[in-house]
Amino acid sequence: MKGADSPSYGVEGLTRVEVVQLRSAAATDPGLVLAALENLGERDTRRLYTNRLVDEVLLYEFTGVRRGRTDAQHDPALM
């Protein structure tokens, strides 16, 4: 059981701001997702980076194919 002064490790130890920063950085650097997979395991990596981002990185890593984005939220040309 964790006490109030005990350190938090892993995904649970991150603040909301840190999670947002890490997700933003991983959107341009897929190596962060790959490193997280090695160090945190798939479950926690998906919790941190979302299933969508992990799936995109793995798809590219193993096939070289980038999934096209069709929503205006991620495609400035559609805004």
Side-chain angles (χ1 to χ4, degrees):
M1 177 174 243
K2 290 184 189 177
D5 295 329
S6 67
S8 296
Y9 298 102
V11 176
E12 291 82 16
L14 298 172
T15 66
R16 179 181 285 272
V17 171
E18 290 170 326
V19 170
V20 170
Q21 290 172 339
L22 286 167
R23 287 179 180 174
S24 178
T28 58
D29 183 1
L32 293 173
V33 174
L34 296 174
L37 283 166
E38 288 182 23
N39 293 297
L40 297 175
E42 186 169 349
R43 180 180 152 267
D44 281 344
T45 299
R46 288 181 179 278
R47 287 178 60 213
L48 175 59
Y49 289 116
T50 73
N51 286 325
R52 182 195 55 79
L53 184 56
V54 173
D55 288 345
E56 285 181 10
V57 168
L58 291 174
L59 178 68
Y60 182 73
E61 181 70 15
F62 290 106
T63 67
V65 174
R66 290 197 190 274
R67 187 180 341 187
R69 297 211 171 127
T70 58
D71 58 338
Q73 183 178 39
H74 296 333
D75 189 349
L78 296 175
M79 295 180 129

